[in-house]
Amino acid sequence: MQTHERATAVISKYLKGQATTEEKEWLEQWFLEMGNAAHLELGPQTTAGQHKLQERIYDNIQHTILAQQQQQPGRKLHPLRWWALGAAASIALLIVANWYWQRPAPPATVAMRTVSTHTGQLSELVLPDSTVVWLNANSRLHFPATFGDMRQVELEGEAYFDVHPDPQHPFLIRSGAFCTRVLGTAFSIRSYAVSHSFRVTVSSGKVGVYNPADSTQMILLTANEQLNSEQDALQPNVRHIEAGSYTAWKTGALRFDKERLDEVVQALENRYGQHFIISDGQLAALPVSGAFDKQDKLENVMKILARVYHLHFTPTANGDIAIH
């Protein structure tokens, strides 16, 4: 081991109080020998942190030598050596600082935030990049307090995004098993854990939807296009729609355009907190259209659906409502 490498190791142990008697004696001798090199150029002014470390090295060495003098009263240290000791401590500082300040910095921890909504609750929030998000009922958005090179968030439930344009920093939404990538656009995503369906509706701009396991298979959507897929496997089921009908919920209204009855029922559950049961698979797939304002009561909505689609809503003993 080279002298400077050994000095670095011994100084580190010394400052931690772990140096052996032999190592302390070697270090003292090394410092005194380094005093002969006091004429060396020690470099530019050190920082405040380096000054503190230098003082700590100097004080610890001084304390050790004084302690040894007390144990050996006959031993004298020439005044020149005290001056050399300071120079040697400065040189030792360079060795220690090279190890201390060049250590890999620990990765910065980015604070994460989560916004959640409950039944019947809508929430509007602004992300750190000025992107505006409307969060539908029974939904959750997880995002960092500050964005890095990639603006990435996680969504469970339904949300409408008005993404702030920034071509250098793409915006990525992870929802269930899929990712939606955009540069600047307005669109909504619905991906409830209790549902088997995944839906992306684009109001303006362009988005790409893909499975992270195979990002080469990306489905592109433009304004007034909608992707409907199963949660477990991305399917290229794209259709043209009137986007406003599928994003009206952010204003409190409910708009349905040939949506499956089970999807309509889920929207009613999120709005009113009433649980429904559909035991007939064919009935669950019944296409339903309609428009309801946020002032409409659930009883009124059920009456209209019953009259138009010949449905029956029957309360059960446990408080649910069966549809048949």
Side-chain angles (χ1 to χ4, degrees), residues 76-151:
K76 300 293 184 181
L77 185 63
H78 193 277
L80 178 61
R81 287 188 172 183
W82 288 105
W83 171 82
L85 177 61
S90 297
I91 297 172
L93 168 66
L94 299 181
I95 297 175
V96 177
N98 182 63
W99 162 78
Y100 185 83
W101 274 284
Q102 291 187 18
R103 292 179 303 170
T109 302
V110 178
M112 300 298 293
R113 297 178 180 175
T114 301
V115 177
S116 302
T117 55
H118 305 291
T119 299
Q121 179 186 9
L122 302 178
S123 179
E124 180 180 347
L125 60 147
V126 180
L127 300 184
D129 66 335
S130 298
T131 290
V132 182
V133 181
W134 286 263
L135 202 59
N136 204 351
N138 294 324
S139 301
R140 183 173 66 91
L141 187 69
H142 193 57
F143 59 95
T146 57
F147 286 122
D149 293 336
M150 177 69 73
R151 299 178 290 169

Side-chain angles (χ1 to χ4, degrees), residues 237-248:
N237 183 15
V238 179
R239 62 171 181 161
H240 292 275
I241 46 85
E242 175 55 46
S245 298
Y246 294 88
T247 59

Side-chain angles (χ1 to χ4, degrees), residues 12-66:
S12 177
K13 293 179 64 177
Y14 185 89
L15 294 177
K16 296 177 182 178
Q18 300 174 352
T20 65
T21 301
E22 179 183 355
E23 289 172 332
K24 291 178 181 178
E25 292 177 353
W26 180 90
L27 185 60
E28 179 186 344
Q29 183 62 35
W30 180 78
F31 272 120
L32 296 177
E33 291 175 357
M34 290 295 288
N36 295 326
H39 63 280
L40 293 177
E41 182 66 39
L42 297 181
Q45 182 71 22
T46 58
T47 64
Q50 291 172 322
H51 275 306
K52 291 182 180 180
L53 182 57
Q54 181 178 5
E55 291 173 359
R56 184 180 176 190
I57 293 172
Y58 186 90
D59 291 343
N60 283 346
I61 297 169
Q62 185 181 42
H63 176 76
T64 298
I65 295 177
L66 288 176

Side-chain angles (χ1 to χ4, degrees), residues 159-200:
Y160 181 90
F161 296 85
D162 189 355
V163 178
H164 180 73
D166 185 356
Q168 301 302 319
H169 301 88
F171 196 95
L172 188 69
I173 303 99
R174 183 69 181 261
S175 44
F178 308 131
C179 289
T180 302
R181 183 186 179 98
V182 301
L183 293 177
T185 185
F187 61 99
S188 69
I189 296 178
R190 185 169 71 180
S191 178
Y192 284 100
V194 297
S195 174
H196 297 293
S197 64
F198 171 80
R199 186 173 74 190
V200 177

Side-chain angles (χ1 to χ4, degrees), residues 2 8 83 95 99 128 139 180 185 199 216 218 222-223 229 276 283 312:
Q2 295 182 358
T8 301
W83 171 82
I95 297 175
W99 162 78
S139 301
T180 302
T185 185
R199 186 173 74 190
T216 60
M218 180 179 291
T222 57
S229 176
F276 294 87
L283 184 61
H312 298 278

